[in-house]
Amino acid sequence: MTGEQVADRISSSASRLSRIESGHIKPSSGGVMELLDLYAVTWKDGPGKALVDLARTLKETGWWARLGTLSNQYATYIAYEEEALALLNYEPTIIPGLLQTRDYALAVSAVGRETDAAGIKQRVDARMTRQEVLTKREKPLRLHAIVSEAALRTEVGGPDLLADQLRHVVKMAARPNVTVQVLRFAAGAHLADRGGFAVLTFDTDESPLGYVETPAGELFLEGPREIARLTGVFDNLRELAMSPAESIKWIKGMADGQEPLDHV
C-alpha cells in the first residue's frame, strides 16, 4: 500500500503518516496498534507487541493487551484513551463507560456482545480499570460527558441499581476534571440523532481522534473534516443541554425518586 492508501484506511493524513514513519513525531501506542491491525500483524505477541511496547516507552505494558476477549478495535481505543488529555463523550442510551458502577456495567454487558460469564466479567473488569484515567495523580483525563435523559431513565438492572448509578455520576461530577451535562427530552431535535460518539484529544504532536460504536463494530475517525463535524455536533449538544450545575441537581432528584421539573 502507498502512504496515501494507508492514511485513507486509518482516516489519517499522508503527511502525518510520513512524519511518524520518518521519526519526526512519536506515534501513540494506539496508533501503532491501528497500523498493525491494518497490516494484519498481531500486536499481542511477537514483533508486533515489541513495536507497541516501543511506542509505550518508559511505560508499563498495557494491561488491555493481555485480555483475549476484547476486540482489537476496542483494545486500540483503550490504548488511545490511556494517553489522551481530554475526552468529549455523548451517550444517548446508556451511562458513559467511564462513569459506570460495576453493577451497572455488569447489567449492560449481560445484554451485549459477550454471552459467556467469563467474557462478561473480563469486559467489566476492563471498564473498571479504564476508569483509572479519571483519578490518576498526574494529568487525569478531562472528561466532558453529555448524557441523554433516556440513558438516565432507562432502568438497567432495576430502579435500585439505577439510583445507585445516578448517585455515582453525581459523585464523579464533583471531581474538577469531570463535567456532566444532561440533554433533556424537552431540548428537542439535535445533530446527534444517529448515536453516541467520543472525541479524544492529545498533546500537540497527536491529532484528535473520533470513535463511534455501531452494531457492526467500532469506527475510528481521524480526518480533519470528520473531527470538525463531531466537535460541531458536540457543541450543538452542549448548547441544548442543561448547565453542569442544573444537570447535577436534576440527577440528584432522579436518584432520590423525585421527578424534576422540566427545564425551561
Side-chain angles (χ1 to χ4, degrees):
M1 289 180 283
T2 65
E4 288 77 12
Q5 290 172 326
V6 172
D8 183 63
R9 292 282 291 276
I10 64 172
S11 300
S12 183
S13 65
S15 61
R16 179 173 179 275
L17 179 65
S18 176
R19 285 185 293 151
I20 289 174
E21 292 181 339
S22 63
H24 285 88
I25 62 173
K26 174 188 173 184
S28 67
S29 54
V32 173
M33 291 161 69
E34 194 173 7
L35 285 169
L36 290 173
D37 281 339
L38 175 61
Y39 300 147
V41 177
T42 179
W43 44 259
K44 295 185 177 181
D45 54 40
K49 180 178 182 300
L51 287 173
V52 174
D53 288 345
L54 280 174
R56 201 177 293 120
T57 305
L58 301 180
K59 293 184 179 180
E60 184 178 345
T61 299
W63 53 269
W64 56 85
R66 299 189 293 271
L67 302 181
T69 62
L70 301 186
S71 70
N72 284 356
Q73 290 288 81
Y74 183 44
T76 300
Y77 173 78
I78 293 175
Y80 276 122
E81 191 178 68
E82 285 268 333
E83 299 175 350
L85 298 178
L87 167 62
L88 304 178
N89 189 195
Y90 168 64
E91 290 295 346
T93 57
I94 62 171
I95 304 296
L98 291 180
L99 300 177
Q100 292 179 8
T101 64
R102 175 174 286 276
D103 288 341
Y104 183 95
L106 280 168
V108 169
S109 298
V111 294
R113 67 190 67 184
E114 299 292 345
T115 56
D116 65 290
I120 291 173
K121 181 180 183 302
Q122 190 170 93
R123 195 169 185 86
V124 171
D125 287 344
R127 190 162 301 171
M128 295 301 102
T129 304
R130 276 179 57 204
Q131 295 177 359
E132 294 176 6
V133 296
L134 296 177
T135 58
K136 60 186 180 181
R137 288 187 176 183
E138 295 186 10
K139 296 182 179 179
L141 180 73
R142 299 192 306 272
L143 170 65
H144 190 151
I146 297 178
V147 189
S148 167
E149 180 176 347
L152 298 166
R153 287 189 180 276
T154 302
E155 291 190 357
V156 174
D160 292 339
L161 190 153
L162 178 61
D164 288 341
Q165 172 62 70
L166 295 179
R167 294 187 186 99
H168 181 70
V169 172
V170 171
K171 176 183 176 182
M172 293 302 296
R175 298 187 63 85
N177 59 309
V178 177
T179 301
V180 176
Q181 289 184 261
V182 176
L183 184 68
R184 295 293 309 275
F185 294 141
H190 51 77
L191 296 179
D193 57 352
R194 297 186 181 181
F197 62 90
V199 178
L200 293 163
T201 54
F202 306 88
D203 59 28
T204 55
D205 290 334
E206 187 76 28
S207 300
L209 178 73
Y211 180 76
V212 180
E213 287 188 338
T214 74
E218 300 89 347
L219 299 175
F220 288 109
L221 302 172
E222 198 173 0
R225 290 184 180 180
E226 289 89 348
I227 297 300
R229 191 170 302 170
L230 289 179
T231 54
V233 171
F234 195 87
D235 288 340
N236 172 251
L237 298 176
R238 192 199 320 249
E239 293 178 3
L240 293 174
M242 292 190 291
S243 71
E246 291 174 318
S247 297
I248 296 308
K249 183 177 180 180
W250 191 89
I251 296 172
K252 284 181 178 178
M254 287 290 294
D256 295 337
Q258 302 170 4
E259 184 64 24
L261 295 175
D262 286 339
H263 173 62
V264 178

